[in-house]
Amino acid sequence: MSLYDKVTHWVCLPNEPANGQDGDDDDENNQSTFYVPPPSFAFETSWETYFASQGPPPFGVVMRTLFFPHLTGITPSTTISQPHVDLSPPKRSTVNAHSIIERRPEFSFLAHGSYGATCVPALSALQHWNLLMESSPVGFFYDTLFPYIVRSIRSVSGYVNTEPRNLVLVTNVEVGMESVFRSLDLQAQDTILAFDMTYTAVLYSAQHACDRSGAKLETIHMSSPITRRSGLEDLRMYLDKHDRENEGRRRDEKRRIRLAVFQHITSPTAILLRVKQLIDLCHQWGILVMIDGAHAIGQIPLNLSHLNADFYVTNTHKWFCNPRVARFIWQGTADYSPYLALYMSVKFWDWVGYEKVVERNHALATWCGRLLSRAWGTRLLVEDESMMGSMVTIELPPPPPSSISATKQDTLPITSVSSDTLRNQHGIEIPVFTFRGRQYVRVSLHMYNDERDCVRLGEAVLKGLGYSEDTHPGYALLKGGKSRL
């Protein structure tokens, strides 16, 4: 059996039966009948022992200090000579929740949705896997790599509720989507379909696939206000119109919708779409569906078997807190350590509790959205909380009337708050963007964030716009929000 045949065999094997169930007593036969994971290395065992010996810390600043201590921001004084982050399991003697809260960091990271943030157990695994590879490169690629790649695939499959054989590890969502586009053998009469608010890089990739083949990319305008049903109705209206137009064409002129591409959670607008209904509707028309789930795993419950999309791509480096994949190709080799570290990310999530994190982050996001929209006197991009995950998008307030020049009274007010000013002047990392003529912030809230981060953002925006405490009622509302702390 070739190495690649062995890998396929390992991926497809069923798990060993639970204790007490019937199984083959022959160890050699058991290993060929049931999947037996390779042994953990010592650096993994230390974390597995830690997870088994105690429960996770409180969410918020304690979680951040212990498992995301590297989230300190970059300032002009940041140098590589500063002490490195300790990547070993926290020692019991150093864990004092009260003292941690008292010396709270002055940097709020509310941009997890942009590039993620890696938890310490996964960072530790990443570092050790790199060193392990360098200790014997030939032995690593010949003997070690593939059994542990299979282990990562099998361990993460439970978090997306599908069989391991259905999963392929790729460097990022864009690479996965490009693989799908290239596999379709598009023809000139084919169409790729997407909503107009689809992530720009995805639309570029789809357009490139159409340019190669002569196919056509068509975008559907998602009508406002955006609700649970609006996207579905927009898609249905487009499909009905497409059928009517095809009726008047000759057979060789009829267009075929070959693929529909939808985002599970839109970017940068952070809207949780009802993709199951979109998938089902497209399948009624015989249309293949690919879901861009870059923000899904780690933010919402994910069941790929239930969704039944033809293709689903997601990133583990965003909300699942796994290392980012940086690939450097040389004669077919690559840095696979982020794939191998995925096993430790899974162990971390097993420990903290996936559903517990998802529910807590969603509750924090909806609370934050309500507080800031009231304090700023603005609105949420979507009011329906079922269309939010761990991110919430809030319209920014206009600057004070006195700051708007008379020559611009008839134009939309331009806020003086930007991502750069919030980061450099207030120690808050968060994206600011324009959508349909209005400016918004997208607040990402993960297990290491808490209410204080939201209140800090609310006050920083008002200060950045030039409002004082005696000129804007939002400050009082934000002080009321502090009562929850």
Side-chain angles (χ1 to χ4, degrees):
M1 184 182 294
S2 71
L3 174 60
Y4 295 107
D5 288 336
K6 287 181 180 179
V7 169
T8 302
H9 180 64
W10 295 334
V11 169
C12 296
L13 280 174
N15 290 321
E16 285 188 290
N19 291 337
Q21 294 185 1
D22 293 335
D24 196 323
D25 293 332
D26 187 331
D27 287 342
E28 183 175 349
N29 287 337
N30 268 339
Q31 292 206 8
S32 63
T33 305
F34 302 108
Y35 174 71
V36 178
S40 297
F41 284 91
F43 65 86
E44 297 172 319
T45 303
S46 66
W47 277 105
E48 291 170 339
T49 301
Y50 177 83
F51 294 150
S53 67
Q54 56 192 289
F59 294 127
V61 68
V62 180
M63 176 69 75
R64 172 177 166 177
T65 301
L66 297 179
F67 291 95
F68 298 86
H70 38 285
L71 282 178
T72 59
I74 298 175
T75 67
S77 62
T78 303
T79 67
I80 59 174
S81 63
Q82 291 177 335
H84 70 283
V85 174
D86 185 0
L87 299 182
S88 59
K91 297 178 176 60
R92 290 179 183 269
S93 60
T94 64
V95 179
N96 185 319
H98 179 73
S99 65
I100 287 174
I101 292 173
E102 288 298 315
R103 50 188 170 86
R104 178 183 184 85
E106 297 181 356
F107 176 71
S108 291
F109 188 70
L110 296 171
H112 193 102
S114 297
Y115 298 100
T118 308
C119 61
V120 163
L123 277 177
S124 173
L126 177 75
Q127 182 185 76
H128 281 92
W129 277 115
N130 266 306
L131 294 174
L132 193 68
M133 176 176 62
E134 296 303 332
S135 66
S136 178
V138 174
F140 177 85
F141 284 104
Y142 277 25
D143 302 322
T144 304
L145 173 63
F146 290 102
Y148 288 90
I149 284 282
V150 171
R151 184 184 66 169
S152 289
I153 292 173
R154 294 183 66 100
S155 65
V156 79
S157 65
Y159 276 95
V160 294
N161 287 283
T162 191
E163 292 295 323
R165 71 185 68 192
N166 296 329
L167 299 182
V168 177
L169 297 181
V170 295
T171 52
N172 55 42
V173 159
E174 285 76 15
V175 170
M177 300 185 85
E178 179 64 17
S179 299
V180 172
F181 289 139
R182 288 183 175 275
S183 72
L184 291 179
D185 188 26
L186 294 170
Q187 305 297 317
Q189 71 271 23
D190 289 337
T191 296
I192 295 178
L193 194 60
F195 284 121
D196 60 351
M197 57 191 300
T198 300
Y199 189 51
T200 304
V202 174
L203 292 178
Y204 282 161
S205 185
Q207 185 61 62
H208 184 57
C210 290
D211 291 342
R212 290 194 304 262
S213 61
K216 184 179 180 181
L217 171 64
E218 292 200 0
T219 57
I220 303 172
H221 177 70
M222 186 171 283
S223 55
S224 295
I226 300 170
T227 66
R228 283 185 293 175
R229 292 202 58 83
S230 61
L232 187 65
E233 293 305 317
D234 292 335
L235 174 61
R236 191 186 304 276
M237 290 176 60
Y238 173 88
L239 295 176
D240 287 338
K241 179 183 176 184
H242 175 270
D243 282 357
R244 291 194 301 271
E245 291 176 348
N246 255 352
E247 288 176 359
R249 295 184 176 123
R250 298 197 310 265
R251 176 175 298 182
D252 60 344
E253 294 178 339
K254 291 184 183 293
R255 299 206 60 82
R256 174 180 62 167
I257 304 174
R258 189 69 183 282
L259 178 71
V261 181
F262 304 119
Q263 292 184 283
H264 204 152
I265 300 175
T266 62
S267 182
T269 45
I271 301 171
L272 176 59
L273 297 182
R274 302 177 71 188
V275 293
K276 173 60 177 173
Q277 288 79 1
L278 297 174
I279 293 167
D280 290 346
L281 181 59
C282 284
H283 284 173
Q284 293 175 20
W285 259 261
I287 302 168
L288 296 174
V289 180
M290 176 163 59
I291 301 298
D292 170 8
H295 288 275
I297 186 171
Q299 187 174 173
I300 59 174
L302 196 53
N303 189 327
L304 299 188
S305 298
H306 173 69
L307 287 179
N308 195 33
D310 300 282
F311 312 99
Y312 194 106
V313 289
T314 189
N315 283 327
T316 58
H317 74 260
K318 284 184 181 284
W319 292 90
F320 207 66
C321 304
N322 194 60
R324 300 160 198 84
V325 178
R327 188 165 190 168
F328 303 92
I329 298 177
W330 176 78
Q331 293 185 353
T333 61
D335 178 10
Y336 292 97
S337 51
Y339 296 148
L340 301 169
L342 181 56
Y343 170 78
M344 192 50 60
S345 296
V346 169
K347 290 297 181 182
F348 176 68
W349 277 93
D350 289 344
W351 182 59
V352 297
Y354 190 92
E355 291 183 1
K356 184 178 179 181
V357 172
V358 167
E359 291 175 3
R360 180 263 181 187
N361 291 348
H362 174 71
L364 180 58
T366 55
W367 176 86
C368 179
R370 291 193 299 269
L371 174 68
L372 295 188
S373 61
R374 288 178 57 211
W376 293 343
T378 61
R379 62 181 183 180
L380 304 177
L381 180 57
V382 291
E383 299 289 343
D384 188 340
E385 294 182 357
S386 71
M387 300 180 71
M388 303 176 196
S390 303
M391 298 188 288
V392 59
T393 303
I394 311 154
E395 184 182 357
L396 284 170
S402 59
S403 68
I404 303 175
S405 66
T407 59
K408 294 192 174 182
Q409 288 291 335
D410 295 331
T411 65
L412 284 172
I414 306 213
T415 178
S416 60
V417 172
S418 67
S419 298
D420 289 342
T421 58
L422 287 171
R423 178 179 61 251
N424 298 332
Q425 298 178 21
H426 302 280
I428 299 174
E429 186 75 72
I430 192 169
V432 177
F433 66 95
T434 300
F435 177 70
R436 296 183 179 175
R438 298 179 182 272
Q439 287 195 301
Y440 297 88
V441 288
R442 184 184 71 187
V443 187
S444 297
L445 294 158
H446 214 323
M447 64 181 79
Y448 52 79
N449 295 115
D450 59 25
E451 293 87 348
R452 290 173 178 82
D453 293 312
C454 303
V455 172
R456 283 194 70 216
L457 172 63
E459 293 176 340
V461 166
L462 294 179
K463 290 176 182 176
L465 290 171
Y467 290 105
S468 61
E469 292 194 25
D470 58 352
T471 61
H472 199 290
Y475 284 102
L477 290 171
L478 293 169
K479 287 180 179 178
K482 289 181 179 180
S483 64
R484 170 170 168 165
L485 306 182

